[in-house]
Amino acid sequence: MSITLNRRAFLASTTGFIALHPFSAHAATNQAHLRIMETTDLHVHVFPYDYYADRPRDTVGLARTASLINDIRDEATNSLLIDNGDFLQGNPMGDYIAYERGMKDGDTHPVIQAMNTLGFDASTLGNHEFNYGLDFLMKSLAGANFPVVNANIALEMGSDPTKDKTLIPPYVILDHKVTDGAGVEHDIKVGLIGFVPPQVMGWDRRHLEGNVQARDIVETAKAYLPQIKEAGADIIVALSHSGIGSADASDGMENASVPLAGLDGIDAILTGHSHLVFPSPDYADFAGVDVDAGTLMGTPACMGGFWGSHMGLIDLLIEKDGNAWRVVSAETEARPISVRNEDRSVSALVESDEAVLASVQVEHDETLAYVRRAVGKTDAPLHSYFALVADDPSVQIVSIAQLWYIEQMMKGTEHEGLPILSAAAPFKAGGRGGPEYFTDVPMGDVAIKNVSDLYLYPNTARAVRVTGQQVKDWLERSAGIFNQVAPGAQDVVLLNPDFPSYNFDVIDGVTYQIDLSQPSKYDAKGVLLDASASRIVDLSYNGAPLDLAAEFIVATNNYRAGGGGNFPGATPETTVFEGPDTNRDVIVRYIVEQGTISPRADSNWSFKPMEGTTVLFDTGPAATAYLDQVDADIEQAGDGPDGFARFRISL
Ligand code: MN
Ligand code: MG
């Protein structure tokens, strides 16, 4: 490999098209430039295509990153291309292979095929590699023309990590050739060791329990590093499919890259899992992190975004010192495939690599057919035309799927047995999106691409543990979307136009009414207006008044649990489960497993009746077809502005 690369670098330097990196240009005798390129969290994104929306997308895809790879290789005399995990799952192509086509012996997984085409030198496992089970994983890895390493997942545990019978090789030592500043070729040994968050045991319990065990990342690394050195590694790179978090090691920590980087013997660290970029200002305030130097605990590090958005780069200037090599200087970078312009539009910085596209063209075409074809059926129409005025099937299905998922995730935890509620909001509900901006999937077949309509954002699943009082206040916060209505008033405009529909959470698992005659407890941003105000009445759980002191688990998403919308009780402090799965994936899996879904709204909430009082609200004209299915006294009331249709509700 080094011969081809060196010739390329030579050509590049003599023709002047590519600027050699200073380490390559100025390396002295016995000094060499070693460039490590990282892709991470590809999640099966090879084509620059959004299969959910069924349209091209310039911000994703290994085919785009690949175009960077060629330039980046040309800038350096010596390079390694490494993937940092989460490649098998995360878009409909991954689901298509896992659920439809399958992996027969001898099949090559398309993302592996693309990686083979690019000549990856190695990879590690991410947590999502376990999503389809161990058999699927091992069949997929069998097609890789490069080693895949992970040290902290064991088939059998030994007395210390190095005695474990690991699922796959814990580390590899690559025999690599580097050319020094004088043009002399040297053999060097590059040790690569991989880690995944031990939380996989909970996240993929159904596949992993009884089959494998996970170890703490830092503990495992400490045990193996002397052994890798002993085995002759000149340079050791940690492939940490783990985020950049606390600098203090704690047992079983998920985002362990900072303390890991601080261990003796690690020369460079590739990070990931968080779908962020390093170096970047995102990490400016983190202990042990130097954003300007691109280091964690002084060790060069990178994180290459996600879905192929960036190429992470670590440049090492290494020097031969007797028989050993040491790093004398380092630089790190994350190079993007697209830029966001000032007007929020996106411009691609590179075209797709044709060879990479060609390597998965067949599976790409099959995936297009898959997302356009039914994967299940719905025996009720899924629409959101009345989602803000009555319980609604498009919100109900999200709620049901979240509940199904969080119930599985709570099993075996200290929270098992607590009542589980589910919070979901209509994302497409007209408003500033216009009169066509609604979910509208007819009864019958449901295709994957319809699911993006049901769940617009790539949020990830979360659960929070809250009190009955917080459940009530959560609903009070939601109820702020409605204007106050005086008893007996006629044709009052119902909705506050400044209140986005994605902050109108309906909570399933409890029943309640909203008393519109009362003032709202919170304003449109979630700021407390009046602590004594209460619109939520008859709040019940299991047919009895909800106990405000009781505890509940609420299934939700990362936006809400992270404090988005400023909902009482929904905070990082109350978060007891951070799922690796997107809510959208949860819905797809639910539909695939159920075959036929029955997303009928269960009318668990309604407005408190107010005799002789009417309100008006505007929705899409297509709503008229569903008028008889709405659980409210509702009639047409002419046209609203801007193409909306107007309806009158008798409260
Ligand atoms: Mn990931
Ligand atoms: Mg409901």
Side-chain angles (χ1 to χ4, degrees):
M1 184 179 76
S2 58
I3 293 169
T4 349
L5 294 187
N6 290 339
R7 189 190 310 128
R8 250 204 242 163
F10 172 73
L11 282 175
S13 62
T14 51
T15 54
F17 286 115
I18 302 283
L20 269 183
H21 187 278
F23 289 173
S24 276
H26 303 304
T29 305
N30 279 333
Q31 282 189 338
H33 175 203
L34 178 63
R35 168 164 272 189
I36 302 160
M37 297 183 260
E38 179 208 39
T39 56
T40 188
D41 297 271
L42 289 173
H43 290 281
V44 214
H45 289 81
V46 179
F47 268 68
Y49 202 85
D50 180 344
Y51 295 100
Y52 284 111
D54 201 3
R55 62 169 171 257
R57 187 165 165 191
D58 282 339
T59 55
V60 305
L62 181 60
R64 295 292 170 97
T65 338
S67 297
L68 291 179
I69 292 171
N70 294 333
D71 280 357
I72 289 169
R73 276 179 173 154
D74 288 348
E75 293 163 359
T77 42
N78 314 284
S79 59
L80 288 170
L81 176 57
I82 297 171
D83 182 77
N84 211 39
D86 273 6
F87 46 84
L88 275 186
Q89 182 276 350
N91 78 357
M93 187 187 281
D95 281 351
Y96 164 68
I97 300 295
Y99 298 140
E100 289 273 315
R101 198 203 75 179
M103 284 292 298
K104 296 180 296 297
D105 286 331
D107 282 349
T108 304
H109 192 285
V111 76
I112 300 279
Q113 184 65 48
M115 290 160 83
N116 286 343
T117 302
L118 282 166
F120 270 78
D121 292 287
S123 176
T124 189
L125 301 181
N127 49 298
H128 283 283
E129 264 62 79
F130 300 96
N131 287 164
Y132 302 126
L134 291 172
D135 184 54
F136 183 88
L137 170 59
M138 297 315 283
K139 281 181 177 152
S140 300
L141 296 186
N145 293 344
F146 47 86
V148 183
V149 294
N150 170 277
N152 69 322
I153 300 294
L155 291 164
E156 278 170 42
M157 281 212 188
S159 53
D160 77 80
T162 64
K163 310 282 191 322
D164 289 352
K165 186 182 174 204
T166 50
L167 177 67
I168 61 173
Y171 63 88
V172 64
I173 296 178
L174 299 179
D175 289 313
H176 199 65
K177 288 190 193 306
V178 293
T179 305
D180 73 9
V184 178
E185 207 171 69
H186 300 263
D187 293 316
I188 67 160
K189 291 181 183 297
V190 181
L192 305 172
I193 179 166
F195 307 97
V196 73
Q199 282 74 9
V200 290
M201 294 305 300
W203 294 336
D204 275 305
R205 183 183 307 275
R206 64 192 176 136
H207 293 306
L208 301 186
E209 202 169 52
N211 294 317
V212 293
Q213 289 169 276
R215 282 203 189 258
D216 176 67
I217 291 174
V218 174
E219 171 211 359
T220 307
K222 269 187 192 159
Y224 273 110
L225 286 169
Q227 185 176 327
I228 303 172
K229 238 351 182 208
E230 187 76 10
D234 296 301
I235 299 289
I236 298 178
V237 183
L239 316 188
S240 172
H241 187 88
S242 176
I244 296 168
S246 170
D248 299 321
S250 56
D251 190 37
M253 73 195 294
E254 177 182 350
N255 294 310
S257 292
V258 179
L260 178 61
L263 295 181
D264 248 7
I266 292 181
D267 296 295
I269 179 168
L270 308 183
T271 71
H273 183 57
S274 308
H275 292 202
L276 291 171
V277 173
F278 188 82
S280 80
D282 286 346
Y283 290 106
D285 298 329
F286 282 57
V289 178
D290 186 333
V291 168
D292 297 322
T295 58
L296 306 180
M297 305 297 281
T299 302
C302 65
M303 189 189 298
F306 64 108
W307 300 358
S309 68
H310 294 72
M311 169 70 68
L313 289 178
I314 297 179
D315 288 292
L316 301 176
L317 183 64
I318 57 174
E319 185 174 84
K320 194 166 190 183
D321 187 5
N323 276 330
W325 289 84
R326 64 188 184 93
V327 176
V328 290
S329 193
E331 285 181 5
T332 72
E333 182 189 347
R335 207 174 285 188
I337 63 169
S338 64
V339 281
R340 190 167 288 284
N341 305 310
E342 267 178 30
D343 65 358
R344 305 292 295 159
S345 65
V346 171
S347 299
L349 293 171
V350 280
E351 291 301 308
S352 292
D353 181 298
E354 292 299 327
V356 173
L357 293 182
S359 71
V360 298
Q361 185 70 51
V362 170
E363 290 87 349
H364 171 69
D365 293 340
E366 289 171 355
T367 303
L368 291 179
Y370 173 69
V371 297
R372 294 166 185 170
R373 190 174 77 226
V375 288
K377 283 186 184 305
T378 173
D379 64 10
L382 287 160
H383 64 84
S384 64
Y385 294 111
F386 299 102
L388 299 176
V389 298
D391 199 29
D392 167 272
S394 73
V395 175
Q396 190 76 37
I397 185 63
V398 173
S399 237
I400 293 172
Q402 286 179 173
L403 204 59
W404 168 81
Y405 173 79
I406 292 297
E407 264 170 9
Q408 297 173 52
M409 294 297 134
M410 290 296 110
K411 284 200 182 111
T413 73
E414 60 182 298
H415 316 291
E416 185 175 6
L418 283 177
I420 303 176
L421 313 176
S422 186
F427 292 144
K428 290 179 79 177
R432 290 180 183 144
E436 270 91 48
Y437 193 67
F438 291 89
T439 301
D440 193 350
V441 181
M443 192 164 78
D445 293 339
V446 180
I448 302 277
K449 59 183 284 190
N450 297 140
V451 175
S452 65
D453 220 29
L454 289 169
Y455 210 100
L456 209 55
Y457 305 106
N459 290 337
T460 47
R462 294 283 187 274
V464 295
R465 182 171 172 158
V466 297
T467 63
Q469 180 67 54
Q470 286 170 317
V471 170
K472 180 168 185 292
D473 285 337
W474 192 315
L475 293 169
E476 297 284 2
R477 164 76 180 99
S478 283
I481 195 171
F482 303 114
N483 294 322
Q484 192 173 358
V485 181
Q490 299 300 305
D491 288 354
V492 179
V493 172
L494 179 64
L495 299 174
N496 172 358
D498 295 327
F499 193 111
S501 71
Y502 58 75
N503 277 338
F504 180 66
D505 270 0
V506 168
I507 297 187
D508 261 292
V510 289
T511 58
Y512 54 99
Q513 291 196 322
I514 298 173
D515 183 351
L516 296 175
S517 72
Q518 298 302 309
S520 181
K521 185 167 181 176
Y522 300 95
D523 75 3
K525 293 209 158 19
V527 177
L528 183 67
L529 289 173
D530 177 358
S532 66
S534 174
R535 287 180 158 182
I536 303 301
V537 295
D538 287 342
L539 178 59
S540 301
Y541 173 72
N542 262 349
L546 181 120
D547 177 359
L548 295 178
E551 286 197 292
F552 297 87
I553 297 295
V554 181
T556 180
N557 61 49
N558 62 310
Y559 169 73
R560 184 69 76 237
N566 201 10
F567 275 64
T571 64
E573 290 70 40
T574 57
T575 300
V576 293
F577 174 78
E578 298 190 34
D581 299 301
T582 63
N583 300 64
R584 201 149 64 184
D585 279 340
V586 167
I587 299 166
V588 171
R589 275 194 232 167
Y590 178 75
I591 295 173
V592 168
E593 285 208 9
Q594 301 294 310
T596 296
I597 55 170
S598 301
R600 282 193 186 78
D602 58 5
S603 295
N604 68 303
W605 73 274
S606 57
F607 296 125
K608 185 183 177 191
M610 290 168 70
E611 240 201 322
T613 312
T614 62
V615 293
L616 296 177
F617 96 105
D618 297 336
T619 185
T624 312
Y626 300 111
L627 207 50
D628 59 338
Q629 296 167 15
V630 190
D631 190 18
D633 186 354
I634 194 163
E635 62 180 0
Q636 295 185 60
D639 295 332
D642 306 323
F644 280 91
R646 181 152 287 181
F647 291 86
R648 176 179 296 110
I649 300 172
S650 301
L651 292 171

